[in-house]
Each structure stands twice: as structure tokens, then as C-alpha cells.
Amino acid sequence: QVQLVESGGGLVQAGGSLRLSCAASGSIFSINVMGWYRQAPGKQRELVAALASGGYTNYADSVKGRFTISRDNAKNMVYLSMNSMKPDDAAVYYCAAFGVRTRSGYDDYWGPGTQVTVSS
């Protein structure tokens, strides 16, 4: 069974930095896309950043130039480095893995989320 677990969330001051990590565990052959989504109170869940196995990236316009996504395929981990954080960045951040190849086939998975709070 595949599980995703986020870590690194917490409280950060506006203008500060925070690094999120996500580990995918289980009998995994490969993962096509790993990414980060976030959801603030009263708002819909939105894509923050995604990284395909081939190196293609996709960022939300609101985080371009401030956030960086990276992954370690050997460890099945994905990271999100967040710099120059703003109060609008406060949200629950979710790790996602799409096109996860296991002995059973392909499937998508989501982590339980981690809270990021930004103080001003």
C-alpha cells in the first residue's frame, strides 16, 4: 500500500522561509508526477507546484520566483522550498503523486496535509 506523508509545516514570519518534505512509501516502481497543492479557509484547493519525472515543472503564478520544487526519485521524495513568504501563503499544503506505478498498476495518491501559518 502506498502512503504519502508531509513534514516541515509550521509557523513562519512574513518574509521568511520554510521547506516542506514529502515521502512516498510502499512498493513503488516509479512516480510520473509529484507536486504540492494548498487550500486556505474558504478557498478551493489549488496547484502550487508540480514536477514530472522528466524534469518539467509547473508553478502557480503567485509563487513563481519564490518557491522551488525538487524531487529525489531514488528516495521517492519531493520537496518545496518556500522563500519570501507572504500571509497569503498560509494554507494546508498537500503532497500529491500522480501516475504511481506499483505491481497493481497505476494510481494517484494524496498526503494528509500539513499546516503552514504565516505571521505578519
Side-chain angles (χ1 to χ4, degrees), residues 53-98:
S53 61
Y56 293 98
T57 58
N58 188 24
Y59 292 94
D61 288 340
S62 59
V63 308
K64 288 181 179 178
R66 300 189 298 118
F67 291 10
T68 302
I69 187 171
S70 60
R71 62 189 286 182
D72 186 333
N73 292 330
K75 297 181 179 179
N76 288 324
M77 296 192 70
V78 63
Y79 309 90
L80 184 68
S81 296
M82 303 182 290
N83 300 315
S84 302
M85 297 193 70
K86 305 175 181 180
D88 286 347
D89 294 324
V92 176
Y93 283 71
Y94 298 90
C95 176
F98 305 111

Side-chain angles (χ1 to χ4, degrees), residues 10-60:
L11 176 65
V12 64
Q13 290 186 327
S17 300
L18 203 63
R19 186 175 188 248
L20 304 181
S21 300
C22 173
S25 62
S27 184
I28 299 171
F29 296 156
S30 63
I31 303 174
N32 185 15
V33 177
M34 301 192 77
W36 293 91
Y37 288 71
R38 68 186 182 188
Q39 186 168 24
K43 299 182 66 177
Q44 292 190 327
R45 186 174 300 187
E46 65 174 351
L47 171 71
V48 178
L51 176 57
S53 61
Y56 293 98
T57 58
N58 188 24
Y59 292 94

